Amino acid sequence: EPEVTQTPSHQVTQMGQEVILRCVPISNHLYFYWYRQILGQKVEFLVSFYNNEISEKSEIFDDQFSVERPDGSNFTLKIRSTKLEDSAMYFCASRSTNEQYFGPGTRLTVT
Amino acid sequence: EDQVTQSPEALRLQEGESSSLNCSYTVSGLRGLFWYRQDPGKGPEFLFTLYSAGEEKEKERLKATLTKKESFLHITAPKPEDSATYLCAVQTNYGGSQGNLIFGKGTKLSVKP
């Protein structure tokens, strides 16, 4: 069964460093998303991506964040200068019809 | 403001003891309501989508129902392997929306043998 994959599973970085989180969506899906979940809190929407451009973003997704689909399979989330409060699980999701399928997540720890 | 509220926050059941989880929502326009299962340290796993009041979906011991203001996830004769956090999410039908989900905090279900 096709699934969304994410790498790395855990990333530790120092405050102020740049990180890139990688996702491989399900191959025939056209809509891609990033969400995050701070420990003990709700899953929160960050950004949606369709037709090679951002289609919607939340207030969380400020200038420190960017997304890219560098080739036909990968979908990346970049945080330019990480802050302590960026520590969270980051989930990638994709869909073709209405149901979004999530990856296993990347745990980002900023020290 | 669109909101999703789940109750209870945590639920402990004995194996075989049926119960229901609640998800109440306040949105200007509902495109769909989704139920996910989340195991510790994992991503949400899709269970059901409901689109209109009166709709019901079933999968094994789980049954999801939808009214105009809330959804229920009924668990019949649960087993320990049903232990997980169950997340409810809504998708709005605003013109510019690309289908992003608004999640509730979840209900953490523990089923003891």
Side-chain angles (χ1 to χ4, degrees), chain A residues 6-85:
Chain A
Q6 291 185 242
T7 54
S9 57
H10 190 189
Q11 174 92 49
V12 181
T13 189
Q14 289 190 327
M15 200 167 49
Q17 296 297 303
E18 174 184 287
V19 293
I20 297 176
L21 310 183
R22 292 182 167 80
C23 168
V24 179
I26 295 173
S27 63
N28 63 340
H29 287 188
L30 299 177
Y31 298 85
F32 312 116
Y33 304 83
W34 284 101
Y35 293 81
R36 78 171 187 191
Q37 186 176 31
I38 295 171
L39 188 64
Q41 297 188 23
K42 295 183 183 185
V43 176
E44 301 174 288
F45 166 74
L46 293 178
V47 65
S48 59
F49 193 86
Y50 171 72
N51 202 25
N52 281 322
E53 61 183 20
I54 290 174
S55 46
E56 195 171 6
K57 58 185 180 180
S58 72
E59 292 178 354
I60 303 168
F61 194 89
D62 60 22
D63 292 343
Q64 293 300 311
F65 291 88
S66 62
V67 290
E68 195 177 36
R69 189 156 162 82
D71 53 44
S73 59
N74 290 284
F75 180 49
T76 62
L77 174 69
K78 182 194 288 187
I79 309 175
R80 288 191 183 84
S81 178
T82 50
K83 304 174 187 145
L84 293 176
E85 54 265 36

Side-chain angles (χ1 to χ4, degrees), chain A residues 3 15-16 19 33 35 40 72-73 82 87 90 94 101 103 108-109:
Chain A
E3 57 183 20
M15 200 167 49
V19 293
Y33 304 83
Y35 293 81
S73 59
T82 50
S87 295
Y90 287 80
S94 68
Y101 293 89
L108 177 65
T109 303

Side-chain angles (χ1 to χ4, degrees), chain B residues 55-67:
Chain B
E55 191 174 358
E56 298 182 353
K57 294 268 179 77
E58 278 188 73
K59 179 180 178 180
E60 295 180 357
R61 294 177 291 283
L62 300 177
K63 179 173 150 183
T65 62
L66 182 65
T67 73

Side-chain angles (χ1 to χ4, degrees), chain B residues 9 24 48 62 65 96:
Chain B
E9 288 186 11
S24 62
F48 304 109
L62 300 177
T65 62

Side-chain angles (χ1 to χ4, degrees), chain B residues 10-32:
Chain B
L11 181 63
R12 290 186 178 186
L13 299 175
Q14 287 297 124
E15 185 172 0
E17 180 187 1
S18 302
S19 188
S20 296
L21 314 182
N22 177 264
C23 170
S24 62
Y25 59 91
T26 307
V27 295
S28 300
L30 181 72
R31 182 190 289 179

